Amino acid sequence: MSGLCGGGCIRNIDINEMINELQTMPNVERKDIFTDELVSISQVSLKANLFKSYNKNDIVIFVEGYCYNIEELNLLFKTKYETFQEFIYWAYNKNCLKDFFNKVDGYFHAAIYDKIKKKIFLISDRLGTRFLFFYYKDGVFAFSGEVKGILAIKEIDREIDKNSFECFVNGGSNFYLLNDNTMFKNIKLLNPSTI
């Protein structure tokens, strides 16, 4: 397992299946689970990583990855934040996520859950270098930093995407899927620079 695998789902499925599957890997631990009546979000990571969630005033933020220009952002926005999560919280409350993320230099994906509005926002960095996958079908929604995190949920439809399969079979050793495609019909990759 490289890096982190975070994920979440709406509450009509059990996130513990996803987490239990991922925790079977060596040197992996569960961190920062958040659950309410609608949403469950958790992170599973290598024990050496110290990523945290941010939970304030009914806004829950999970970030996997790094922001390299916090000092520059503080100067630009005339703020004094120490963590990327705090900055995202500020930008969300100021209604300037798009402007904020246009200025972020980093390698990340994030999820913001607004408990009051009952909305979840998935965010990818400008280049999409830190993958975030999502699944939606028949009212089941889940997301994860790795496809295997989504596949660990028993309610997930594992139908193979025939076009992706043909690309894999015909692609030889240079296998890459284009756009938001994965090997599974209903699991998609969040496009770069997306909120």
Side-chain angles (χ1 to χ4, degrees):
M1 177 178 179
S2 60
L4 296 170
C5 182
C9 57
I10 57 175
R11 291 288 293 151
N12 60 351
I13 57 180
D14 184 4
I15 195 169
N16 288 310
E17 294 171 13
M18 178 193 304
I19 302 307
N20 291 340
E21 175 72 21
L22 295 172
Q23 280 184 287
T24 62
M25 301 169 153
N27 297 317
V28 170
E29 67 183 357
R30 176 181 185 159
K31 296 180 181 182
D32 295 316
I33 190 161
F34 168 81
T35 301
D36 72 2
E37 69 280 359
L38 296 177
V39 173
S40 290
I41 303 173
S42 185
Q43 287 181 296
V44 175
S45 68
L46 296 173
K47 290 182 181 175
N49 290 315
L50 300 173
F51 291 93
K52 299 280 183 189
S53 64
Y54 188 79
N55 188 344
K56 184 176 179 183
N57 298 330
D58 294 321
I59 308 295
V60 182
I61 298 169
F62 283 84
V63 177
E64 291 184 4
Y66 304 95
C67 173
Y68 302 118
N69 63 333
I70 294 266
E71 290 178 19
E72 178 186 321
L73 293 169
N74 275 315
L75 290 171
L76 182 66
F77 291 107
K78 297 175 177 55
T79 55
K80 293 182 180 180
Y81 295 109
E82 293 182 22
T83 70
F84 193 26
Q85 293 87 334
E86 290 174 303
F87 239 129
I88 294 172
Y89 175 81
W90 172 83
Y92 179 76
N93 281 310
K94 292 288 185 183
N95 230 4
C96 66
L97 282 176
K98 184 177 178 182
D99 186 43
F100 171 71
F101 283 115
N102 279 332
K103 308 285 191 264
V104 170
D105 177 17
Y107 164 82
F108 65 89
H109 64 246
I112 301 171
Y113 174 52
D114 186 324
K115 294 187 266 184
I116 302 298
K117 293 180 182 176
K118 296 180 177 19
K119 289 187 176 184
I120 191 161
F121 300 86
L122 301 180
I123 301 162
S124 62
D125 63 45
R126 275 189 268 179
L127 300 176
T129 51
R130 182 75 180 118
F131 294 157
L132 185 59
F133 298 92
F134 65 95
Y135 171 93
Y136 181 78
K137 184 180 178 188
D138 300 330
V140 175
F141 172 74
F143 63 93
S144 178
E146 298 184 31
V147 172
K148 64 185 167 190
I150 295 173
L151 293 175
I153 300 170
K154 69 179 177 190
E155 288 87 355
I156 297 301
D157 178 356
R158 290 162 178 78
E159 182 179 352
I160 299 294
D161 182 323
K162 292 176 184 168
N163 292 330
S164 294
F165 182 75
E166 286 179 25
C167 181
F168 176 76
V169 171
N170 295 324
S173 62
N174 296 322
F175 168 65
Y176 294 99
L177 294 176
L178 301 176
N179 301 319
D180 64 350
N181 296 309
T182 69
M183 290 297 291
F184 300 91
K185 185 175 181 181
N186 297 301
I187 298 176
K188 299 295 179 188
L189 174 64
L190 191 66
N191 286 321
S193 209
T194 297
I195 300 173

